[in-house]
Amino acid sequence: MLLFTVVILCAIGIVTVYSASTYFALNNGLPADHYAVRQLVAAVIGLFGMTVLMQIGYRFWYRWAAPLMLVNLGLLAAVLVPHLGISKAGGRRWLGLGSLSFQPSELALLILALYLAFFFSKQVMLGHSFRRGLFPALVVAGLNFVLIFLEPDMGTALTLLGMSLIIALASG
C-alpha cells in the first residue's frame, strides 16, 4: 500500500512539473519535457532506494540511530565552516564538490525522526520523568534546530521542530 501511494504521488509530481515548467523550458531552448524527465529520473532513483531500504529491518536502524545522529550533527556543523560549506542564494546550506552537492539539513529530517523513534521506544518507562524522558530528546532536536536555523534555513528548521513535537506527542 505504501509503495502504491508513493508511486501515485510521484506520478502526480511529474505531471505537475511538466505542466509548470514547459513554458520555461521552451523559452530557454530546452525540450518541453526537460524538467519532467529530470523529475522522472529522480523519482525512479528514489523509488529504487525506497524499495532497497524497505528490505532492511528496523533493528538495524535502531542499532545505528545514535551514531547516525552524531554524524548528522557533524555534517550540520560542517556546513557552517566558511570554506567547507557552499553558499548559494544567501545561505550556507550545502556540502559537496563542484556541481555535486547535498543539503545535510534534509538528511537531518530523516535521521532525527529515526533517532526520536529509537529514543522514545527505549524511554517508554521514563515517560513520567521530564528530566530523563523528554528533556534529552528536546536537547537533541534543539541542537538540530539551532544548527539548521544558523544556515539560515527557516523552512527546514520549522519543519524539523514540528516533526519533533509530533513524534514526542505521539510517543505519549
Side-chain angles (χ1 to χ4, degrees):
M1 188 66 162
L2 177 63
L3 183 60
F4 176 72
T5 304
V6 171
V7 168
I8 294 298
L9 288 173
C10 285
I12 291 169
I14 292 165
V15 170
T16 304
V17 167
Y18 179 76
S19 173
S21 66
T22 301
Y23 179 77
F24 183 76
L26 290 173
N27 279 345
N28 289 321
L30 299 169
D33 63 350
H34 175 75
Y35 294 105
V37 169
R38 288 179 59 184
Q39 184 74 15
L40 175 64
V41 169
V44 168
I45 292 169
L47 287 169
F48 175 75
M50 181 181 124
T51 55
V52 169
L53 292 176
M54 284 173 58
Q55 304 307 312
I56 300 173
Y58 73 91
R59 284 186 175 87
F60 171 84
W61 296 113
Y62 274 21
R63 186 176 330 120
W64 287 97
L68 284 173
M69 180 51 66
L70 292 175
V71 169
N72 173 55
L73 291 171
L75 289 173
L76 289 174
V79 167
L80 301 173
V81 175
H83 294 290
L84 202 53
I86 300 169
S87 293
K88 292 181 187 175
R92 185 178 302 275
R93 301 178 187 141
W94 291 266
L95 287 177
L97 294 170
S99 64
L100 188 63
S101 62
F102 77 102
Q103 234 178 327
S105 58
E106 296 297 330
L107 190 59
L109 290 168
L110 296 172
I111 292 175
L112 184 62
L114 174 68
Y115 178 79
L116 290 176
F118 160 77
F119 180 82
F120 286 126
S121 70
K122 299 294 183 197
Q123 301 298 331
V124 171
M125 300 308 290
L126 301 173
H128 63 281
S129 169
F130 176 77
R131 188 175 58 83
R132 294 180 61 207
L134 184 60
F135 185 71
L138 291 178
V139 168
V140 172
L143 281 171
N144 279 275
F145 176 81
V146 168
L147 288 171
I148 293 171
F149 184 78
L150 291 174
E151 293 178 1
D153 190 355
M154 181 65 84
T156 304
L158 289 176
T159 301
L160 182 130
L161 183 63
M163 177 198 68
S164 300
L165 293 175
I166 289 170
I167 292 173
L169 287 172
S171 72

